[in-house]
Amino acid sequence: MAYTVVASRSPEGEIGGFGWQAFVAFGGIALFCAASDLLHIKRNGAEGSKRLFRHLWRMFFPLFMATAAFFLGQAKLLPEAIRRIEFLAIPVFLVLAIMVFWIIKVKYSRRFLTV
């Protein structure tokens, strides 16, 4: 959150090309993850499908963020022929769709309840 203050007070209103809004968003996500970890530790961990669900969320969310940052945020590094939003959004939505599929499968499948 310190970077939020520094970015908002800088002459350009940003640090490294990111405005204060980006630091608030990522700081909020980090705060949510830290609170989730503390709650997880307090409850002595998780078992079965809850543990697998937590693992899926922890693995797919950073993959989603990295895919979005690369394909949507760094489009200028890709060849001109595929720089259209229709092409750049495909990998991002594919990761999101796979994430939703596996989370639903783990949450509602009886097979994962006893793992």
Side-chain angles (χ1 to χ4, degrees):
M1 288 295 150
Y3 285 111
T4 302
V5 175
V6 172
S8 66
R9 292 184 179 174
S10 72
E12 302 86 24
E14 59 185 38
I15 298 175
F18 296 102
W20 63 269
Q21 301 89 344
F23 293 108
V24 168
F26 285 111
I29 291 168
L31 186 64
F32 173 77
C33 290
S36 174
D37 284 346
L38 288 175
L39 187 62
H40 183 72
I41 291 168
K42 184 179 176 185
R43 292 181 179 169
N44 295 327
E47 293 181 8
S49 65
K50 288 183 181 181
R51 183 177 180 151
L52 190 53
F53 177 83
R54 179 179 169 81
H55 178 70
L56 284 171
W57 183 85
R58 290 286 193 165
M59 297 305 289
F60 270 114
F61 186 72
L63 179 62
F64 168 70
M65 293 298 292
T67 306
F70 179 75
F71 286 100
L72 301 178
Q74 302 294 322
K76 62 183 176 266
L77 301 175
L78 298 172
E80 185 96 23
I82 62 169
R83 252 189 245 171
R84 297 177 45 199
I85 191 68
E86 299 87 24
F87 297 128
L88 296 175
I90 291 172
V92 178
F93 286 122
L94 187 63
V95 168
L96 193 61
I98 293 170
M99 178 176 67
V100 168
F101 168 78
W102 277 105
I103 286 176
I104 289 172
K105 183 173 175 100
V106 166
K107 188 124 175 108
Y108 297 108
S109 175
R110 294 208 182 276
R111 180 174 150 206
F112 296 106
L113 292 177
T114 58
V115 173

